[in-house]
Amino acid sequence: MKNITIVIPDRFADWEYSLIAPVLHSFTTNYRVRYAAADLNHKTSMGALRVIPDLNFADIPAENAALILIGGQDWRELNPADRATLAAHCERQKTDGNLLAAICDGAWFLAANGLLNDRRHTGNHLDAYRAEAAYHNAAQYQDSQREAVRDTNLITAGAMAAPAFSRAVLEALGDIPAEVLAYLPAA
């Protein structure tokens, strides 16, 4: 069974992963989806969905088929220790060649930690990335509010590209049946 870890901050954007988790839970038997957060206290989505995370950042498994960062309103509130722990997991995921995907402020988190400096990418607003000292790759930013951008094992998207992001993630896993993907919007 392959691990998929979906990282959610408090006040997470529940629509941004809404096609990924059901496909992996209902139409495949290859994956174990777990949710991670800075702590194990319940998180409330922007749509008032309450979730109790399975893992804290320190317990994210080293072996993940995908590490997915979902947008939300509290990414910029992470304390330095939690930020460093999660950034290290993201760096390892990227370096090991496993799928690293981020949407909305999840993509901002990657930019703020210098993890978009060598790949094509997108997100909500380039200016938010430029404001981060660790970000140095405006030349490869693609202004795409409705599409996900994939560069090798990295997928990024802005908040309004959730359907395209979901499809890109599921396609990148490489083993989701074509008949399941056919029901999803084109990437």
Side-chain angles (χ1 to χ4, degrees):
M1 180 128 347
K2 300 174 191 174
N3 291 314
I4 302 286
T5 302
I6 299 175
V7 179
I8 55 172
D10 206 10
R11 299 186 297 157
F12 65 97
D14 43 15
W15 67 92
E16 291 179 350
Y17 71 98
S18 64
L19 296 173
I20 297 170
V23 166
L24 295 175
H25 272 293
S26 301
F27 298 104
T28 72
T29 58
N30 303 341
Y31 296 98
R32 178 171 79 171
V33 177
R34 295 189 292 175
Y35 296 87
D39 57 51
L40 298 180
N41 297 327
H42 82 269
K43 305 298 173 226
T44 303
S45 76
M46 293 170 70
L49 176 68
R50 291 172 52 114
V51 174
I52 298 173
D54 302 300
L55 308 164
N56 63 35
F57 292 161
D59 294 330
I60 292 174
E63 296 289 324
N64 272 298
L67 180 60
I68 304 167
L69 282 62
I70 300 304
Q73 296 179 333
D74 285 4
W75 276 107
R76 296 161 206 250
E77 308 303 320
L78 285 177
N79 70 50
D82 289 335
R83 184 177 175 149
T85 299
L86 182 57
H89 283 295
C90 292
E91 177 67 35
R92 182 183 64 240
Q93 187 79 7
K94 185 176 153 191
T95 301
D96 288 351
N98 296 318
L99 183 60
L100 177 61
I103 186 169
C104 189
D105 266 10
W108 168 87
F109 178 85
L110 296 181
N113 287 281
L115 295 168
L116 299 180
N117 288 337
D118 61 345
R119 307 280 176 86
R120 289 180 302 111
H121 59 281
T122 192
N124 290 342
H125 303 286
L126 178 58
D127 289 341
Y129 293 4
R130 283 184 173 144
E132 299 302 323
Y135 178 76
H136 308 289
N137 194 13
Q140 291 195 65
Y141 180 87
Q142 297 186 341
D143 191 16
S144 175
Q145 292 304 307
R146 301 271 183 213
E147 298 171 356
V149 172
R150 181 175 178 190
D151 190 337
T152 62
N153 64 320
L154 175 71
I155 298 171
T156 53
M160 295 297 108
F165 177 75
S166 294
R167 184 173 183 115
V169 167
L170 293 168
E171 285 179 341
L173 291 172
D175 60 358
I176 304 301
E179 59 271 13
V180 172
L181 292 173
Y183 284 102
L184 300 174

